[in-house]
Amino acid sequence: MGQIVPELYVVGAGPGDPELLTLKAYKVLQTAAVILYDNLANQELLALAPTECECVYVGKKPYGDYTPQETIHELILEKAQTRGRVIRLKGGDPFIFGRGFEEILFARAHGISTHYIPGISSMQALGFEDIPLTHRIVSEGVWMVTGTKKDGSLSVDLRLAMQSNSTVVVYMGLKKAAEIAAAYCEMGKGDTPAAVVQHLTLPQRKLAVGLVRDLPALVASQQITYPALIVIGAVVGLGHEVPEYALSQSLGHQCLSFGGQRELQR
């Protein structure tokens, strides 16, 4: 047996469909000694690993089972020193609302060689439902914001994003759907098109389209759960007929927490 060389590869698993893995990630998975994989990484990708590879689940389910980050760091250190090449396989892209860079810094601090392989982020999968992130004239850019900060409060950046004509993509915002809707209403933008999406690259995908003021009702209409994205902006209406809410119009209300909506036929 040759000398063990401690290495950490932080690898993006993409938005779910295993065929959306990058070629570079595909190749490095075939050389793994250990794979530490999270909740959002498609487990079909583990079949790419050598038969002697050790695969360890270290997932974090929102508001559910949770592997402490400290435990993940300990595993990175232990496995790299005793087995060699460790692949930290994370859903989407590890550097977009993930803690991939924290793991790289930890590994470097302990003398472990580190490498980063990007993944397709879940927001890029919006195109599978005819929702472009940008479109000439309609959207001037993209804001990526987290719905919930570490202290549990709504992201302040969301209010900054609302002032622009850019597309707003909210990660980890499902629990804050009512607060997001209220914030848009307070700014007079409750009629902005919005969509809530889940598993967009997989057979069990879900989509609900309407107006941002009705986000809670949209979530309920398709029984959308975690993980999910909220996308807000005129781009939503380019490929979809955004349902109008006759009830809210007839009552003259600008914002309703729950409005009726037409179920989209896919």
Side-chain angles (χ1 to χ4, degrees):
M1 177 181 290
Q3 182 180 5
I4 292 175
V5 178
E7 291 182 296
L8 173 67
Y9 279 78
V10 176
V11 177
D17 182 346
E19 292 187 354
L20 292 174
L21 187 74
T22 66
L23 182 58
K24 192 174 186 71
Y26 175 87
K27 289 179 178 179
V28 80
L29 281 169
Q30 295 175 319
T31 69
V34 178
I35 297 177
L36 305 177
Y37 64 98
D38 74 9
N39 183 53
L40 298 180
N42 193 320
Q43 294 188 30
E44 291 182 26
L45 297 175
L46 302 180
L48 297 174
T51 54
E52 65 273 15
C53 177
E54 180 183 2
C55 298
V56 182
Y57 174 74
V58 290
K60 301 175 182 178
K61 296 181 179 180
Y63 313 107
D65 295 336
Y66 186 88
T67 302
Q69 190 64 39
E70 294 74 19
T71 300
I72 296 173
H73 285 174
E74 291 170 3
L75 284 169
I76 289 172
L77 181 60
E78 174 198 344
K79 300 301 183 181
Q81 291 179 338
T82 60
R83 297 292 303 276
R85 179 166 292 183
V86 175
I87 308 297
R88 178 70 172 101
L89 189 62
K90 299 171 72 69
D93 182 276
F95 285 6
I96 298 180
F97 298 118
R99 300 182 71 172
F101 196 60
E102 292 181 38
E103 293 164 1
I104 280 181
L105 292 176
F106 171 84
R108 287 177 183 171
H110 289 81
I112 299 170
S113 175
T114 63
H115 310 270
Y116 162 64
I117 299 179
I120 296 175
S121 176
S122 55
M123 75 172 185
Q124 292 172 280
L126 289 166
F128 285 101
E129 290 291 355
D130 291 337
I131 301 175
L133 289 172
T134 63
H135 189 77
R136 189 172 59 172
I137 301 175
V138 170
S139 174
E140 298 175 358
V142 182
W143 286 74
M144 295 180 293
V145 300
T146 178
T148 306
K149 298 193 301 181
K150 186 176 181 180
D151 63 4
S153 64
L154 189 66
S155 171
V156 175
D157 281 355
L158 178 63
R159 296 187 181 275
L160 296 175
M162 289 162 49
Q163 298 175 42
S164 73
N165 291 323
S166 296
T167 306
V168 178
V169 181
V170 185
Y171 286 72
M172 299 168 286
L174 211 59
K175 194 174 182 180
K176 297 289 185 178
E179 290 182 51
I180 293 169
Y184 270 84
C185 288
E186 289 170 8
M187 192 166 283
K189 292 190 173 184
D191 288 336
T192 305
V196 188
V197 299
Q198 183 182 19
H199 299 311
L200 283 186
T201 66
L202 298 172
Q204 67 268 32
R205 68 183 185 274
K206 294 181 180 181
L207 167 73
V209 174
L211 302 178
V212 69
R213 68 187 179 211
D214 296 292
L215 272 180
L218 295 176
V219 173
S221 72
Q222 298 297 320
Q223 297 181 318
I224 295 175
T225 57
Y226 306 100
L229 286 181
I230 297 171
V231 54
I232 305 164
V235 293
V236 175
L238 294 175
H240 298 271
E241 178 185 348
V242 179
E244 294 292 336
Y245 298 92
L247 176 61
S248 63
Q249 290 178 343
S250 65
L251 293 177
H253 295 325
Q254 183 182 9
C255 300
L256 292 176
S257 294
F258 292 86
Q261 63 278 323
R262 175 179 59 84
E263 181 177 348
L264 294 175
Q265 300 298 322
R266 296 299 300 164

